[in-house]
Amino acid sequence: MDSASLDLAFLQQWTGKTEQHHDTISPNMAAALAAVLDRAVPPQPGEALPPLWHWIYFWSIHAQSEVGPDGHAKRGGFLPPVPLPRRMWAGGRLTFDAPLPIGTPATRTSRILNVTAKQGRSGNLAFVTVQHQIAHGGTVAITEEHDIVYRDMPAKGAEAPAPKPAPADAAWSRTVTPDPVLLFRYSALTFNGHRIHYDRSYVTEVEGYPGLIVHGPLIATLLVDLLYRNRPEAQLAAFEFRAVGPIFDIEPFEVCGQPAADGRTVQLWAKNIRGELAMQATATLKN
């Protein structure tokens, strides 16, 4: 099956498919992510895992013989075998209902919620939404809906979509200078073999991007990290984010935030050095 013959009815047979992963919320892994984020003091055993740090746990482990040409597992296992070549983390919605203590055993239960498709300006698009519930001791700590988008390669000479300008009213901002070491370390922590994050010849020559792509979940984690750098006492109730455009390792980018007057929500976004929006997010705080 190729990208010209997207069989949506076939792909929707994966709807409702489930899988489970068990892990221990290792303090060593948390300390490693703290180092990647330049946090001076890592969280300690027994403390609550910071929001979005659960993404470095519950690895999907596949044998080398099961890995596809893009570095992901070959398609058709838990996720449907969408034949479009570009796969990206498009966004998600999370609620934080209970602490996930560092050092505790936990289980992630995942379920395919839906598979949809449409024709975009650049060709076929397919969307897969996966629900994850992370629990320990019978208590659900995190519920997440994770959106994955699959795309065609752009046609030669095709005009790129017009970039969207980022907001200009940030109360907080921080400049991040990505490089291959940062991207490698985050890929290693998440056991992410996707070559767009570390293989420059692949990402430029095969997928046609100008540089290595900064992971969407890393950008989202940096947005929440910005919130906690400015509001260390905050407790996150919910977080939703959407990737708008890619960020590459060839130039710095900014993570920005603006608290709302209600004291309960914070708008967060990432932008490139030209002020173009790359990710937008809303954090909702607990009372």
Side-chain angles (χ1 to χ4, degrees), residues 217-269:
L218 174 57
I219 298 170
T221 301
L222 287 165
L223 291 177
V224 173
D225 181 68
L226 178 74
L227 166 62
Y228 279 96
R229 285 172 185 261
N230 288 275
R231 294 277 180 86
E233 77 291 348
Q235 292 188 351
L236 204 57
F239 182 74
E240 60 180 292
F241 69 102
R242 183 170 68 90
V244 178
I247 286 178
F248 305 103
D249 75 326
I250 55 178
E251 59 190 20
F253 66 95
E254 279 189 73
V255 288
C256 306
Q258 178 63 58
D262 62 10
R264 285 212 61 212
T265 56
V266 179
Q267 298 303 313
L268 298 158
W269 63 93

Side-chain angles (χ1 to χ4, degrees), residues 9-229:
F10 170 71
L11 298 174
Q12 287 178 334
Q13 294 177 24
W14 268 255
T15 302
K17 189 177 179 67
T18 63
E19 69 172 10
Q20 278 194 337
H21 286 90
H22 305 281
D23 206 346
T24 296
I25 308 304
S26 160
N28 288 340
M29 291 280 287
L33 182 55
V36 168
L37 299 176
D38 271 331
R39 284 199 175 194
V41 180
Q44 300 300 305
E47 295 180 1
L49 188 74
L52 307 189
W53 288 32
H54 67 282
W55 286 334
I56 68 172
Y57 300 97
F58 309 103
W59 289 357
S60 294
I61 298 176
H62 301 275
Q64 193 66 20
S65 58
E66 298 173 342
V67 175
D70 63 356
H72 277 304
K74 292 176 183 177
R75 301 181 186 191
F78 172 64
L79 291 173
V82 179
L84 303 175
R86 285 181 166 182
R87 171 180 161 181
M88 304 291 289
W89 192 315
R93 296 154 298 284
L94 303 97
T95 57
F96 303 93
D97 298 314
L100 184 60
I102 294 172
T104 192
T107 298
R108 186 184 74 185
T109 303
S110 304
R111 179 173 177 265
I112 305 292
L113 291 185
N114 57 61
V115 182
T116 60
K118 71 175 185 179
Q119 184 74 22
R121 286 180 296 178
S122 59
N124 288 324
L125 296 170
F127 302 89
V128 178
T129 300
V130 184
Q131 182 193 70
H132 303 292
Q133 284 195 324
I134 297 172
H136 68 95
T139 298
V140 174
I142 301 167
T143 299
E144 172 181 5
E145 289 187 2
H146 165 200
D147 300 325
I148 307 167
V149 62
Y150 299 80
R151 300 177 182 271
D152 261 329
M153 291 293 189
K156 285 190 176 180
E159 188 174 339
K164 182 178 179 179
D169 58 345
W172 315 324
S173 67
R174 178 179 174 231
T175 299
V176 179
T177 302
D179 60 24
V181 176
L182 173 66
L183 304 192
F184 167 79
R185 291 173 70 170
Y186 192 77
S187 287
L189 279 171
T190 53
F191 202 64
N192 182 351
H194 199 181
R195 293 169 67 181
I196 62 173
H197 303 304
Y198 62 86
D199 187 337
R200 194 173 303 277
S201 61
Y202 172 84
V203 77
T204 57
E205 297 170 16
V206 177
E207 298 217 10
Y209 292 109
L212 299 176
I213 298 176
V214 181
H215 312 66
L218 174 57
I219 298 170
T221 301
L222 287 165
L223 291 177
V224 173
D225 181 68
L226 178 74
L227 166 62
Y228 279 96
R229 285 172 185 261

